[in-house]
Amino acid sequence: MSDPTSPELRAIKNLKQIAREEFILPGTAICGGCGGLAALRLAAKVLGPKTVFVNAAGCFTLLATFPYTPFKGSWLYTTMASAAAGAQGVRDALDVLIARGKVAAADDVEVVVVAGDGSTYDMALSATSGAIFRGLDFWYFCYDNESYGNTGMQMSSATPYGARTLTTPVGEHARAGTEHGKKDLFEIWRAHRPAYLATVSPRFPIDLTNKFLKAKQLRGPKLFIAHAPCPTGWLYDPELTADYARLAVETGIFALKEAVDGVVTHTYVPRRHRPVEEYLRGQGRYRHLFEPVRNEEAIHKIQEQVDRYWANVHETTGAAR
Amino acid sequence: MLRIRFHGRGGQGMKTASRILGSAAFRAGFCVQDSPVYGAERRGAPMAAFTRIDRVQIRERGAIVRPDLVVVADDTLLTDPAAQPLAGCDAESTVLVNSTRDEAALRQEVPAYTGRLLTADFTAVALATTHALASLSTALGVAAACLVGLSLADSLAGLDDELTESHMSMAQKEANRQLAQTVYAQASSWAPVREREDSRIAETAPLVEVTFDPPRLAGPSIYAVGNSPQRRTGNWRQFRPVLQVERCTRCWICFVRCPEAAISLDAQEYPVVDYDECKGCLLCVHECPTHAFTVEKEVR
Ligand SMILES: Cc1ncc(C[n+]2csc(CCOP(=O)(O)OP(=O)(O)O)c2C)c(N)n1
Ligand code: SF4
Ligand code: SF4
Ligand code: SF4
Ligand SMILES: [Mg+2]
């Protein structure tokens, strides 16, 4: 937790207030055009150098592969199910060492879990629930590429309805590919009443930066779900990553929001949502919804889910349209 | 037995090229094995794939150490220590390099290699026919099929097997078939790769004996900080973003959006691309509101 009165934590208003210093250096083995890395890089600019990243197995374990690391701080690798438990261990160890005077309080670091959706939504749900329940003072950054990406794009419970993955191929009995709907992790986490919870997008850097700045003033679990367009798994050209990040928000598929002590605010409400088709079309993982024949039913179903979500938002918040 | 090794970078489609060749040989009635190296590597990072073709069941497994044919997806790989495409090649090997440069120029880079070296600009042919870089897999898979002596019909059948499973549009599939025919015609001018006399003798990769070292030494712990730029991911790039300064309004957008932190800002807040690291995703080019970046194909 940083001093909330510090001017460095004031919300920013334009791009040029984003830090110029880098805290995740180039030269990693991550794919070119990775949306998750774009989001993490911006987050790291707020977190600064005094961090220890606790990283569950997934694409981002490739950030630090022997003998290279892009981090200016520390990094610890854990199994897929236990990053939050690892964070607890690191936090506890730091607290003990500080209490015994073996580490100066000024040398304390932020403990930041970095994990994919397969880890976060599936395998680590329980360990993370425990850490939030215990009120652990830590950060959690889930880069959601909506699949088990590192192993070649298998379905996770974050994979949206209609997306094709290796384990949910399109077939006679599964014309939409993935037939399940995406798990609502935001609501699952919110039910724990963490100190801070937010969704972020790499294409909305000011919104992202301000959310991290706000969280920096709070003690307790600070949880983030980052929309992470993935050219390799979603099958589109890497230069389009920011486009798909933008379209996800403008179509209303990905809602930018935060919850402080459980109270939800939508931080960006598009005046008029674009049709979901603009986001789906062009991504290889959704191509079967458009070719060789259009799957009207599936496209309609996706649109309906989005419309229902926002109708509910407007109803419960009375938000001005 | 014929042993073919493909070298590429993640995203260049060499795994698919190896499969196209494998399927084509299978269609022609051969026993086939094809497999990529599973590495934790990514789009742009060096990778390899192996194809074995024989008249009898293949019992050999693993990496190909003495290839008959090596297909190299771009010439930057020739001298890349992480790729080493010429490892195990000898006077009897054939190496096919996708390059804009001629044989003499390439030989200067690999003076120790004495076997046959073929080169052609398959990227240009692929782009002209399909407008998609991904079709390099079709071009090189079919070129390899032709080089090992498979017929055009079998090559196309092998390609079709792979296309059926792909997410490509119908029009793209058709364009890939056209590309296959063009490339096959071009590759027919090269003499086919011949089986070695001792080709049935199983290859054995040397066993590496692992010695015991204390965990602090042997474990993959990294004691350095921020040393990843030494990896030089700039050589992953196929296209290079080039700033046309006069069009730049210094809006910071490219700097903020580059996922790699490969763009910094100079004292006047103009963006500077670090070409040692930029992976060439071209996101900056696409995002710049004033179109201040142009794109140049990498020639190394
Ligand atoms: C318990 C366990 N099962 C399987 C694996 C193999 N594995 C390594 S990374 C990975 C994918 C992780 O998916 P996600 O958490 O979404 O991260 P991403 O790879 O998409 O970045 C898998 C399945 C593992 N490391 N541990
Ligand atoms: S597979 Fe996707 S999420 Fe993983 S590193 Fe590549 S682009 Fe990023
Ligand atoms: S996005 Fe374009 S105009 Fe803006 S700083 Fe970059 S190059 Fe200049
Ligand atoms: S092409 Fe542009 S956005 Fe992509 S890595 Fe290079 S500088 Fe960054
Ligand atoms: Mg994932």
Side-chain angles (χ1 to χ4, degrees):
Chain A
M1 188 175 113
S2 309
D3 174 11
T5 58
S6 157
E8 282 156 30
L9 296 180
R10 235 176 266 150
I12 65 164
K13 293 208 171 67
N14 69 64
L15 275 192
K16 298 193 177 188
Q17 291 171 286
I18 287 174
R20 286 168 70 155
E21 188 176 355
E22 301 295 346
F23 298 95
I24 299 181
L25 300 187
T28 66
I30 297 292
C31 308
C34 174
L37 181 59
L40 184 62
R41 167 184 173 245
L42 294 170
K45 282 174 182 277
V46 183
L47 292 166
K50 287 174 154 191
T51 49
V52 48
F53 287 100
V54 181
N55 193 170
C59 285
F60 279 16
T61 13
L62 301 188
L63 284 169
T65 41
F66 185 81
Y68 300 118
T69 174
F71 299 114
K72 290 181 173 170
S74 298
W75 180 82
L76 173 73
Y77 177 31
T78 75
T79 61
M80 284 188 71
S82 55
Q88 178 89 50
V90 172
R91 185 65 263 160
D92 290 353
L94 282 166
D95 288 347
V96 169
L97 291 171
I98 290 170
R100 289 192 187 156
K102 295 203 168 155
V103 168
D107 290 337
D108 195 9
V109 294
E110 304 279 355
V111 182
V112 187
V113 167
V114 172
D117 51 288
S119 164
T120 306
Y121 284 66
D122 292 337
M123 296 190 206
L125 195 62
S126 156
T128 309
S129 170
I132 307 172
F133 168 74
R134 292 187 299 269
L136 180 65
D137 186 25
F138 79 127
W139 302 74
Y140 197 116
F141 180 93
C142 169
Y143 58 101
D144 187 357
N145 64 1
E146 306 190 322
S147 69
Y148 289 84
N150 193 40
T151 38
M153 183 76 181
Q154 294 85 16
M155 187 201 77
S156 78
S157 58
T159 305
Y161 167 82
R164 188 195 71 157
T165 72
L166 274 187
T167 44
T168 52
V170 180
E172 208 182 306
H173 300 290
R175 285 186 54 229
T178 302
E179 297 279 346
H180 301 271
K182 188 180 173 93
K183 193 187 270 182
D184 192 347
L185 181 69
F186 188 90
E187 285 303 310
I188 295 173
W189 273 355
R190 189 167 77 89
H192 293 66
R193 296 292 179 268
Y196 190 77
L197 166 63
T199 61
V200 292
S201 161
R203 181 55 179 74
F204 293 79
I206 297 174
D207 179 80
L208 182 152
T209 301
N210 286 338
K211 284 170 174 170
F212 276 84
L213 284 169
K214 188 183 240 182
K216 222 173 173 180
Q217 304 166 30
L218 303 170
R219 187 182 289 279
K222 297 169 273 282
L223 316 173
F224 293 82
I225 303 170
H227 187 239
C230 163
T232 311
W234 298 5
L235 305 168
Y236 64 81
D237 286 340
E239 67 196 65
L240 301 179
T241 283
D243 265 357
Y244 284 119
R246 175 177 56 79
L247 284 168
V249 171
E250 291 182 349
T251 55
I253 284 183
F254 188 77
L256 289 173
K257 54 187 171 181
E258 66 180 5
V260 182
D261 288 327
V263 181
V264 181
T265 313
H266 282 78
T267 55
Y268 177 73
V269 183
R271 220 175 261 278
R272 235 195 42 183
H273 287 121
R274 290 169 176 274
V276 292
E277 195 174 328
E278 290 186 28
Y279 172 72
L280 307 176
R281 189 183 271 293
Q283 293 185 46
R285 64 173 175 158
Y286 291 118
R287 188 186 294 277
H288 58 282
L289 300 184
F290 301 96
E291 283 184 44
V293 280
R294 214 179 136 87
N295 188 339
E296 207 60 68
E297 198 188 321
I299 299 168
H300 182 71
K301 188 168 162 182
I302 296 169
Q303 184 67 63
E304 229 180 9
Q305 279 171 359
V306 172
D307 293 347
R308 210 178 312 128
Y309 175 88
W310 286 98
N312 192 36
V313 169
H314 293 303
E315 204 174 289
T316 50
T317 62
R321 292 228 62 177
Chain B
M1 190 192 311
L2 279 173
R3 298 177 179 87
I4 300 96
R5 204 169 66 201
F6 290 83
H7 288 270
R9 298 182 179 282
Q12 282 178 330
M14 287 310 98
K15 173 180 151 189
T16 310
S18 157
R19 286 185 62 111
I20 291 170
L21 170 62
S23 297
F26 184 73
R27 288 295 188 139
F30 290 98
C31 293
V32 181
Q33 191 190 78
D34 64 64
S35 60
V37 183
Y38 175 82
E41 293 294 359
R42 282 298 180 273
R43 204 181 265 262
M47 59 76 67
F50 312 109
T51 316
R52 292 186 172 89
I53 304 172
D54 206 346
R55 289 177 202 83
V56 297
Q57 204 183 344
I58 301 169
R59 297 191 179 279
E60 198 174 280
R61 294 289 183 274
I64 289 174
V65 293
R66 198 182 53 150
D68 303 300
L69 171 62
V70 169
V71 179
V72 185
D74 83 66
D75 57 26
T76 64
L77 291 159
L78 283 176
T79 51
D80 191 324
Q84 301 202 24
L86 300 190
C89 287
D90 56 23
E92 281 184 73
S93 308
T94 295
V95 173
L96 173 63
V97 188
N98 173 37
S99 173
T100 52
R101 293 189 285 165
D102 64 7
E103 183 187 339
L106 293 181
R107 279 204 188 272
Q108 283 190 351
E109 289 203 11
V110 287
Y113 175 64
T114 55
R116 178 162 67 141
L117 198 154
L118 307 171
T119 171
D121 188 356
F122 291 104
T123 304
V125 183
L127 283 176
T129 321
T130 66
H131 308 288
L133 262 184
S135 62
L136 189 60
S137 56
T138 298
L140 291 179
V142 169
C146 177
L147 264 173
V148 300
L150 296 169
S151 71
L152 176 61
D154 289 330
S155 303
L156 288 174
L159 174 64
D160 272 338
D161 286 346
E162 291 314 304
L163 291 182
T164 319
E165 289 182 19
S166 100
H167 62 278
M168 257 178 225
S169 70
M170 295 297 164
Q172 271 297 326
K173 287 181 182 174
E174 195 40 49
N176 272 269
R177 283 186 202 103
Q178 268 175 28
L179 170 64
Q181 308 210 6
T182 311
V183 167
Y184 192 95
Q186 189 179 345
S188 304
S189 62
W190 292 319
V193 172
R194 276 201 316 252
E195 230 175 317
R196 292 168 192 261
E197 298 279 321
D198 59 351
S199 80
R200 287 272 165 73
I201 298 172
E203 288 193 313
T204 43
L207 261 188
V208 181
E209 220 175 284
V210 183
T211 54
F212 178 81
D213 283 310
R216 212 183 135 87
L217 190 65
S221 304
I222 306 167
Y223 297 99
V225 288
N227 63 350
S228 59
Q230 291 174 28
R231 195 188 263 121
R232 298 269 179 270
T233 44
N235 62 13
W236 292 18
R237 200 172 50 236
Q238 299 194 36
F239 293 95
R240 152 190 300 246
V242 180
L243 182 70
Q244 309 301 324
V245 155
E246 67 285 356
R247 271 188 253 158
C248 174
T249 60
R250 294 181 280 183
C251 71
W252 283 41
I253 284 180
C254 57
F255 159 71
V256 170
R257 295 201 189 144
C258 168
E260 298 300 325
I263 298 182
S264 57
L265 299 166
D266 69 10
Q268 282 81 46
E269 296 184 26
Y270 282 108
V272 181
V273 177
D274 179 352
Y275 291 117
D276 285 341
E277 307 302 336
C278 158
K279 290 175 181 164
C281 69
L282 304 185
L283 195 136
C284 53
V285 178
H286 188 75
E287 291 297 310
C288 171
T290 63
H291 308 287
F293 285 102
T294 50
V295 177
E296 285 175 15
K297 182 161 187 319
E298 271 314 333
V299 187
R300 293 188 176 92

